Amino acid sequence: MTAIKHALQRDIFTPNDERLLSIVNVCKAGKKKKNCFLCATVTTERPVQVKVVKVKKSDKGDFYKRQMAWELRDLTEVDAKDANKENPEFDLHFEKVYRWVASSTAEKNAFISCIWKLNQRYLRKKVEFVNVSSQLLEESVPSGESQSVAGGDEDALDDYQELNAREEQDIESMMEVCEYAISNAEAFAEKLSRELQVLDGANIQSIMASEKQVNILMQLLDEALAEVDTIEGKLCSYEEMLQSVKEQMDQISQSNRLIQISNTNNGKLLDEIQFLVNYMDLSKGHIRALQEGDLTSPKGIEACINAAEALLQCMNVALRPGHDKLLAVRQQQNLFAELRDMFARRLTNHLNNVFVHQGHDQSSTLAQHTAELTLPKHSPLHRDLLRYAKLMEWLKNTQREKYEGLSRTYVDYMARLYEREIKDFFEMAKIKMAGTTKEGKGKFGLHGSSGKLTGSTSSLNKLAVGGSSSRRSQSSSLLDMGNMSASDLDVADRTKFDKIFEQVLSELEPSCLAEQDFIIKFFKLQQNPTPAQGEGEDSDGPVKTRPSTNEHRHSISSEKDMVRLMMNKIFQSIETELNSLIALGDKIDSFHSLYMLVKMSHHVWTAENVDPASYLSTTLGNVLVTVKRNFDKCISGQIKQMEEVKISKKSKVGILPFVTGFEEFAELAETIFRNAERRGDLDKAYVKLIRAVFMNVEKVASESQKTPRDVVMMENFHHIFSTLSRLKISCLEAERREAKHKYTDHLQAYVINSLGQPLEKLNHFFEGVEARVAQGVREEEVSYQLAFNKQELRKVIKEYPGKEVKKGLDNLYKKVDKHLCEEESLLQVVWHSMQDEFIRQYKHFEGLIGRCYPGSGITMDFTIQDILEYFSSIAQSH
């Protein structure tokens, strides 16, 4: 191990100015045994650096190489595994834990002891030594031979001091003078001792010779001390003089400070007075305007607005602490309060008078508007009142009670005015609707009170009650629509009703929107904060801060509620009158609900686009629910009437009334709902109606006694298919295909059932032939069967000459003609289908004769060409 240590010192550490102090032969724990050396080293230069170096033997030769190094200061823990038993394993905790196994316990202990000593000597760092024997951890090491290698080497390193260049030159010159110094060291030492004694004697003589100079120096020091005392006396006198000057300067400074404080206070007082004068002084002109200003002329109103805003600004000035204790400020505030209350009373009384006078002017023109179906316009009233909008805002901010009282007065007055106007307006609308009914009386056969309609509500109610059942059963019934021709339909009446209803909604909409817009502007609702509610200071001076964000939101919400409440009170009769008008229109003709649904939906959509939260949008939305309910009731009524339909047992059915009724309903609905917003409601109604039509057609067809079921189904589903194909209703495309399928199936079934077996005996004969073939008899052997030989076949064929066949077909044509109705014109279609079916059977018989009786020469008495001539001549003859 010593040889390895010297080799490592020479080859690795000496070139790096390092000294190797301890070494241990180790390998990594738990892995393949690859030996290496851990070395404890120190540098030879100051400051000393202590390292733990891992050295490994090179794979390519016999030399060692440095693999890894750790600074001792990075070491945190040394774990010897077991302090009592010999265990070669130990761990070093640097940035991570390194586990090692030493070649011997002695080497491990020596290495750990060296690490401990180096830590104590150079780092003074508390490295934790775990499971290490206390004998190894000695704080001091005794000198002598028992001292460790590391400790001895380090002490020697500390005692050694290298000679500098001057010391080397002195030693060399001395040794040159004494050439025998090397050969005779004792003589050399003796000589040096003698020279040293000579030098000591010279030093003593030099000290004694300098005593005179010392005395002179002491005398000079005494003179200096006396001079210092003189200077100190002068400095004391100067200090006394300066003390008096300091007192005078302190007095001057105190006086200047008091003057400065006085100037500052005067400046602040001037600022306060200027502040109060600037922001709490109301001009005489403003006071005169508030006391005597003309509230009727535009100039007077403008002067009052300016004065009111100036007064509000003065009252809202944010006073500084202490201002409210000043008598002048309290007097000024009292003056402002008196002016505010006095002007608020003047303004309230004047606006009340304006409401009354403007109301009388409006009432005078009411009769002129009721003659026509129009609502009076209140734009002049609004225009006149809007001049006072800023004053209302001022009143809102200063006198809330008077502001709310004015708003209640306005609402009460306008509610009475609008109630009269709306009542008369809807009365005129009902009269015009009743006039429409009266004109259509001849078409529907209405009897009773409709002839007495003059515009009174009682007459209209009589119409709604007395004529509702007959009108509903006659004008809105799909059954009756089917029984009437197109010229008898109330197209003109319905169009006129549509125009009247549209005019009603068109008159209501601008009136409601204009009134709501006026209320918002005049009463300053849902608006931005006023300048008096702003934050901080603006160009006009300091004002009180506005409420917090949550309070502001609550204020906006309450103002919206106030607008809604005012509109509900002013137009409280609109919803009731609209529902009454809708009920009347529905009783006159239930199909009016289609017109009303489209018009009402359009106006609701328009109102929501303008303002979704407006009173008009909400009210029309509520009325739309009623209209939609009437529309659904109309559809349900038609379906119920379909289910209750009864047919005559003595006459053929033909096209059912509710089938033609559905056709005319669809034509009417498509005209009304073209580009409508509520198309989805109509599509749902279509589906309900068409399913009811399908179901009741099948029900009537099953109950029919005079007309065959297939004819009823074929004719009616053909009509439905034609209607749906012509109108091209996208939501009924599946029903269109279903109607076509049912029509085709029942046409084929009717043809087969009506045609039956035109050659009955021949058909029975060939059925027997097919049965024998099915039993396994070969086709060419069928003729050898006794019942199906050639003679039997000839006998059967002779019974069906061409003349008899034509006679049978002629009777069949007459029978079909009796079954079919003229409206659908399906006779030729059915006849052509029968011709095709007859020819198919003929070809089938010919094929069986050719296969089962080959070479017999047997043929029918008529040909396909004869069949075509029979069918053609029969059709032409009829």
Side-chain angles (χ1 to χ4, degrees), residues 636-766:
S636 300
Q638 308 313 316
I639 293 174
K640 184 177 180 181
Q641 290 177 5
M642 292 182 198
E643 295 170 351
E644 295 174 353
V645 68
K646 301 296 182 182
I647 59 171
S648 173
K649 297 181 180 180
K650 297 182 180 180
S651 59
K652 59 185 177 181
V653 176
I655 303 302
L656 293 169
F658 55 78
V659 173
T660 55
F662 173 78
E663 175 187 10
E664 295 176 10
F665 170 82
E667 290 175 349
L668 176 64
E670 287 300 307
T671 303
I672 297 172
F673 278 81
R674 187 178 293 111
N675 301 323
E677 288 82 5
R678 298 293 290 249
R679 176 73 195 193
D681 295 330
L682 178 62
D683 291 343
K684 292 177 183 177
Y686 273 150
V687 173
K688 290 181 182 179
L689 284 174
I690 198 67
R691 298 317 307 178
V693 169
F694 279 20
M695 182 179 66
N696 286 285
V697 166
E698 294 179 0
K699 175 186 173 185
V700 171
S702 300
E703 295 174 354
S704 173
Q705 297 178 2
K706 182 72 173 179
T707 307
R709 179 178 183 275
D710 288 327
V711 172
V712 177
M713 297 286 284
M714 173 185 65
E715 288 183 328
N716 283 279
F717 278 109
H718 176 266
H719 192 88
I720 294 171
F721 169 70
S722 301
T723 299
L724 296 180
S725 299
R726 175 169 52 83
L727 296 178
K728 297 179 181 179
I729 303 172
S730 58
C731 67
L732 298 181
E733 183 61 27
E735 284 75 8
R736 187 186 71 84
R737 292 193 295 268
E738 182 181 354
K740 181 181 180 182
H741 179 69
K742 289 181 179 290
Y743 153 68
T744 306
D745 289 350
H746 288 286
L747 170 63
Q748 189 65 25
Y750 176 67
V751 167
I752 292 174
N753 292 334
S754 297
L755 193 60
Q757 298 172 353
L759 310 175
E760 185 177 0
K761 293 182 179 180
L762 189 61
N763 193 67
H764 286 310
F765 181 85
F766 281 112

Side-chain angles (χ1 to χ4, degrees), residues 282 286 289-290 302-314 343 390-391 394 398:
L282 194 63
H286 287 161
L290 292 173
E302 185 67 24
C304 289
I305 291 174
N306 294 333
E309 290 177 349
L311 175 62
L312 182 61
Q313 184 177 354
C314 291
F343 183 69
K390 291 185 178 181
L391 292 177
W394 176 86
T398 57

Side-chain angles (χ1 to χ4, degrees), residues 79-89 105-106 108-109 112 129-137:
D79 187 359
K81 298 298 184 181
D82 197 332
N84 301 319
K85 296 180 180 179
E86 292 187 355
N87 187 351
E89 297 181 1
T105 307
K108 180 190 84 169
N109 292 339
I112 292 175
F129 287 83
V130 182
N131 299 320
V132 180
S133 174
S134 59
Q135 297 175 358
L136 295 177
L137 305 179

Side-chain angles (χ1 to χ4, degrees), residues 89-354:
E89 297 181 1
F90 66 98
D91 295 345
L92 299 180
H93 293 246
F94 289 101
E95 74 281 358
K96 66 178 183 177
V97 180
Y98 294 90
R99 293 181 171 80
W100 307 101
V101 180
S103 59
S104 67
T105 307
E107 287 185 15
K108 180 190 84 169
N109 292 339
F111 183 76
I112 292 175
S113 178
C114 181
I115 293 295
W116 183 80
K117 292 174 182 177
L118 290 172
N119 177 62
Q120 294 295 322
R121 184 178 183 86
Y122 293 106
L123 301 180
R124 296 293 179 185
K125 179 184 176 187
K126 190 176 179 182
V127 178
E128 188 175 358
F129 287 83
V130 182
N131 299 320
V132 180
S133 174
S134 59
Q135 297 175 358
L136 295 177
L137 305 179
E138 296 178 358
E139 208 165 330
S140 61
V141 181
S143 58
E145 293 179 358
S146 62
Q147 190 177 12
S148 68
V149 176
D153 291 342
E154 286 303 307
D155 291 342
L157 181 63
D158 290 343
D159 294 341
Y160 172 77
Q161 291 184 357
E162 188 177 358
L163 296 176
N164 56 33
R166 184 174 179 180
E167 288 174 342
E168 288 180 358
Q169 290 176 3
D170 292 341
I171 292 174
E172 286 177 0
S173 61
M174 186 180 296
M175 292 180 72
E176 288 176 358
V177 174
C178 303
E179 296 178 354
Y180 56 88
I182 297 176
S183 60
N184 191 351
E186 291 181 0
F188 180 64
E190 218 174 293
K191 182 180 179 181
L192 289 177
S193 179
R194 288 195 301 270
E195 291 180 355
L196 182 60
Q197 291 176 358
V198 173
L199 288 174
D200 288 339
N203 285 336
I204 292 171
Q205 292 176 1
S206 176
I207 291 171
M208 293 177 68
S210 61
E211 182 177 359
K212 185 179 180 180
Q213 294 179 356
V214 169
N215 292 331
I216 295 171
L217 179 61
M218 293 299 292
Q219 184 179 357
L220 290 175
L221 287 175
D222 291 339
E223 294 176 357
L225 289 173
E227 189 68 26
V228 167
D229 291 339
T230 304
I231 293 173
E232 284 183 353
K234 292 182 178 181
L235 288 176
C236 288
S237 64
Y238 293 158
E239 186 177 359
E240 292 176 358
M241 295 172 64
L242 289 175
Q243 184 66 31
S244 64
V245 173
K246 178 177 178 298
E247 292 176 357
Q248 293 177 4
M249 292 302 297
D250 288 343
Q251 292 177 358
I252 294 172
S253 175
Q254 181 69 16
S255 177
N256 289 336
R257 189 171 66 84
L258 294 175
I259 293 172
Q260 185 177 0
I261 292 173
S262 177
N263 290 336
T264 303
N265 290 338
N266 290 334
K268 290 183 177 180
L269 180 59
L270 180 62
D271 292 340
E272 296 294 330
I273 295 173
Q274 191 70 33
F275 172 82
L276 295 175
V277 170
N278 288 340
Y279 298 119
M280 293 197 67
D281 185 28
L282 194 63
S283 68
K284 293 182 179 179
H286 287 161
I287 295 175
R288 192 181 309 111
L290 292 173
Q291 293 175 341
E292 305 171 357
D294 185 7
L295 290 173
T296 58
S297 64
K299 290 184 179 181
I301 294 173
E302 185 67 24
C304 289
I305 291 174
N306 294 333
E309 290 177 349
L311 175 62
L312 182 61
Q313 184 177 354
C314 291
M315 296 184 69
N316 285 337
V317 168
L319 295 177
R320 297 168 185 171
H323 284 176
D324 55 347
K325 296 180 180 180
L326 296 176
L327 178 61
V329 172
R330 291 200 298 269
Q331 290 176 348
Q332 198 74 352
Q333 287 178 334
N334 293 335
L335 173 63
F336 293 158
E338 291 175 1
L339 289 173
R340 177 196 62 194
D341 295 341
M342 183 269 298
F343 183 69
R345 287 193 299 270
R346 287 185 62 227
L347 179 62
T348 303
N349 294 333
H350 177 75
L351 288 178
N352 279 326
N353 293 333
V354 170

